């Protein structure tokens, strides 16, 4: 029988723009920094925190009324139980980081190397497929967390409605109100996170289709860029809290996370700028 050769799609200017984007210095810096951040995550996981120190830091900053209700011994026991079996737990954490983080790092490097290779007319889509899979997983997890926020808010609301109004019951009512407010706040934040992941998936699909067909991709979502910059600002301030609570080993981890969020936002801006300069979008 005659040999069936794969159909070669024509190379279009779109392929050139995508190759230039994924081979850009900004994308390379993102791949390097993601790998460094993964290394810092592994290092931080190898240093288990002291439960007594964490409990003291948390308990000393609670309002007096909550200090009267909450026992520091209970906090200490909960943290000790969570950190029991440190060797096994740390080993499992490191393995999980190596699998998930390693796959994501590989996705960045596969995309960059294929785009940098002059003998490859179009960057490979394998890296974008890996990123898309993890974005879908994140979207499912966020959706489940959204449902959990609703369930907890209903439970706390029922408990608040059935609470009598003695002195201790008044304090419990304040706690329930605080917990309900926290659930509502978490619900709102998760909505933005879900929209963010959905737009990231749409962007990855658009880039993959453009690599395969040579058709002009859609512009990257500015919503994603804004969320990335906001996350960078929030993460920057949380670095200092992590340093006080968990130790200075968390500082390089936090700073690289901040830098990554900034880079993600800049990648969105650069992608749209390259499409505009090529006359593909307005």
């Amino acid at each position: 029988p005659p040999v069936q050769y794969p159909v070669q799609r024509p190379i279009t200017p779109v392929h050139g723009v995508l190759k230039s984007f994924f081979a850009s210095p900004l994308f390379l810096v993102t791949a390097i920094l993601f790998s460094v951040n993964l290394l810092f995550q592994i290092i931080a996981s190898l240093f288990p925190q002291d439960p007594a120190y964490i409990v003291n830091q948390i308990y000393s900053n609670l309002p007096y009324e909550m200090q009267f209700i909450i026992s520091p011994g209970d906090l200490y026991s909960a943290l000790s139980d969570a950190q029991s079996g440190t060797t096994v737990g740390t080993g499992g954490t490191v393995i999980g980081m190596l699998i998930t983080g390693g796959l994501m790092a590989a996705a960045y490097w596969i995309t960059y190397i294929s785009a940098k290779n002059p003998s490859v007319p179009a960057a490979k889509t394998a890296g974008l497929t890996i990123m898309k899979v993890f974005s879908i997983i994140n979207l499912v997890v966020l959706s489940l967390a959204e449902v959990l926020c609703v369930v907890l808010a209903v439970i706390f609301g029922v408990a608040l409605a059935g609470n009598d109004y003695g002195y201790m019951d008044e304090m419990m009512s304040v706690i329930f109100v605080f917990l309900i407010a926290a659930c509502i706040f978490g619900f709102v934040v998760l909505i933005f996170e879900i929209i963010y992941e959905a737009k990231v998936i749409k962007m990855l699909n658009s880039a993959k289709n453009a690599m395969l067909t040579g058709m002009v991709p859609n512009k990257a979502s500015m919503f994603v860029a804004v969320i990335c910059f906001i996350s960078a600002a929030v993460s920057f301030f949380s670095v200092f809290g992590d340093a006080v609570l968990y130790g200075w080993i968390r500082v390089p981890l936090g700073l690289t996370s901040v830098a990554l969020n900034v880079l993600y936002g800049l990648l969105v801006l650069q992608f749209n700028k390259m499409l505009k300069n090529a006359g593909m979008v307005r």
Side-chain angles (χ1 to χ4, degrees), residues 44 55 62 121 151 172 242 252 260 277 279:
V55 167
L62 290 175
V151 172
M172 292 302 298
D242 289 342
L260 273 175
N277 291 339

Side-chain angles (χ1 to χ4, degrees), residues 9 37 40-41 55 58 80 92 94 131 138 155 159 174 202 218 223 257 277:
R9 296 183 181 274
N37 179 264
F40 284 141
Q41 288 184 48
V55 167
I58 296 175
S80 298
V94 172
M131 297 179 191
N138 289 337
I155 293 175
V174 172
K202 183 179 179 180
N218 297 323
F223 177 85
S257 298
N277 291 339

Side-chain angles (χ1 to χ4, degrees), residues 2-266:
V3 178
Q4 298 293 330
Y5 294 99
V7 177
Q8 297 294 330
R9 296 183 181 274
I11 303 302
T12 69
V14 173
H15 292 110
V17 172
L18 292 174
K19 275 180 66 69
S20 298
F21 172 74
F22 290 117
S24 64
L26 188 62
F27 195 87
L28 173 61
V29 172
T30 304
I32 294 173
L33 196 60
F34 187 91
S35 303
V36 173
N37 179 264
L38 175 61
L39 176 62
F40 284 141
Q41 288 184 48
I42 295 173
I43 293 174
S45 67
L46 297 176
F47 291 86
Q49 287 75 42
D50 181 11
Y53 175 78
I54 296 176
V55 167
N56 181 64
Q57 292 293 103
I58 296 175
Y59 192 75
S60 60
N61 288 283
L62 290 175
Y64 174 76
E65 292 81 3
M66 294 189 69
Q67 291 182 6
F68 181 75
I69 296 174
I70 300 175
S71 169
D74 294 338
L75 290 175
Y76 180 83
S77 298
L79 282 172
S80 298
D81 293 339
Q83 292 185 355
S84 62
T86 302
T87 303
V88 177
T90 301
T93 301
V94 172
I95 292 174
M97 289 180 181
L98 287 174
I99 294 175
T100 58
L103 285 173
M104 279 296 294
Y108 283 103
W109 286 109
I110 289 172
T111 306
Y112 173 78
I113 293 173
S114 65
K116 196 69 175 177
N117 188 354
S119 63
V120 178
K124 295 181 179 179
T125 61
L128 298 183
T129 301
I130 296 174
M131 297 179 191
K132 177 183 173 182
V133 169
F134 279 103
S135 292
I136 293 174
I137 294 174
N138 289 337
L139 185 62
V140 172
V141 172
L142 290 171
S143 300
L144 293 176
E146 191 87 313
V147 175
L148 180 61
C149 284
V150 174
V151 172
L152 290 177
V154 171
I155 293 175
F156 295 140
V158 171
L160 177 63
N163 194 26
D164 295 328
Y165 288 94
Y167 172 73
M168 290 297 296
D169 292 328
E170 288 182 1
M171 293 307 307
M172 292 302 298
S173 297
V174 172
I175 294 176
F176 284 137
V177 170
F178 175 79
L179 292 174
I180 293 171
C183 290
I184 295 174
F185 177 78
F187 181 85
V188 174
V189 171
L190 286 172
I191 288 177
F192 285 98
E193 291 291 337
I194 289 173
I195 296 174
Y196 171 86
E197 290 295 343
K199 288 187 175 292
V200 168
I201 293 171
K202 183 179 179 180
M203 288 163 48
L204 293 173
N205 282 332
S206 177
K208 284 183 61 179
N209 292 334
M211 288 182 183
L212 294 174
T213 64
M215 302 296 290
V216 177
N218 297 323
K219 291 178 63 177
S221 172
M222 291 302 298
F223 177 85
V224 172
V226 171
I227 293 297
C228 287
F229 291 137
I230 293 176
S231 298
V234 174
S235 299
F236 178 76
F237 289 105
S238 67
V239 169
F240 302 100
D242 289 342
V244 172
L245 193 60
Y246 300 108
W248 291 102
I249 190 66
R250 293 295 186 95
V251 172
L253 174 60
L255 292 179
T256 52
S257 298
V258 171
L260 273 175
N261 280 312
V262 173
L263 286 174
Y264 293 150
L266 292 177

